[in-house]
Structure formats: structure tokens, C-alpha cells
Amino acid sequence: MVKVDGDGSVPLLSLGYMCADGWQRPHFNPSGIQVRTREFQHSPVSFIVDPRGGPGTADHVDIMGNHDLINDVLRVASGEELEDRIYSDIRSIAARVPLPSSFN
């Protein structure tokens, strides 16, 4: 067993690589669609209060109930542009992924 950054069941590289790096590349995003990476701090409530983690959970299986995420969705739907918000080292981790030069 190896311990790595992530949400407890999915490694950070799997959670964030494509948003932090892959979708920024013309090979994977030929239309150049704007991509924003937004990370959410995991602040679950007691399991007794809410077994799913409550409004501050950021586990990948419970993220749709995160109040900050819902707020971001509403802001984007109303036309607001959001900036990247990254707490992890995903950019430096993604930069170490070896890709063929044709993927740049």
C-alpha cells in the first residue's frame, strides 16, 4: 500500500491532472475551450450528524453536496468568470508526467 495525496480513495494525479494540465494542451483541447480548476477544502461534519459529510465535504463521491461547489455553479450559470483555485501541488505533479512531444 502506498499513501499519496488525494481524497482518500482516488490519487490527486487522477483527480486533477486533466484540468491542471491535459485540457490546457491543444492535443486534448483542440478548440481551446477555457478550463478552470477549482479545488475545495474537505471539511466534513461528524458522521453522526451527516454520514455523507455535510455541506463542506469534498470527497469525490460527495462533492455534489458541497455548498461552495453549488455556489460556484450558480456563479458560472449567471455569467461570472471564476479564477483557478488550487490548494494542492497538482501543477507541479502534472508537470512531471512524461508525454510525447506531439502532445504539446
Side-chain angles (χ1 to χ4, degrees):
M1 178 174 282
V2 177
K3 183 172 173 29
V4 297
D5 287 340
D7 76 351
S9 60
V10 178
L12 178 60
L13 184 60
S14 295
L15 289 168
Y17 174 76
M18 287 306 292
C19 289
D21 186 277
W23 298 131
Q24 311 300 329
R25 297 172 181 268
H27 181 83
F28 297 113
N29 185 1
S31 296
I33 303 297
Q34 187 179 43
V35 176
R36 291 286 179 232
T37 302
R38 304 277 292 176
E39 292 184 341
F40 297 91
Q41 296 284 5
H42 183 57
S43 305
V45 297
S46 167
F47 183 79
I48 295 168
V49 175
D50 184 346
R52 304 260 337 174
T57 186
D59 278 335
H60 76 280
V61 296
D62 298 320
I63 192 71
M64 295 305 291
N66 182 292
H67 285 190
D68 290 336
L69 171 70
I70 294 167
N71 184 50
D72 281 357
V73 169
L74 293 173
R75 290 169 57 197
V76 169
S78 67
E80 186 175 337
E81 292 206 18
L82 303 180
E83 296 298 317
D84 286 348
R85 182 181 63 209
I86 299 176
Y87 301 110
S88 69
D89 292 328
I90 188 59
R91 286 201 173 117
S92 63
I93 293 168
R96 296 192 312 256
V97 173
L99 292 176
S101 60
S102 62
F103 284 21
N104 290 326

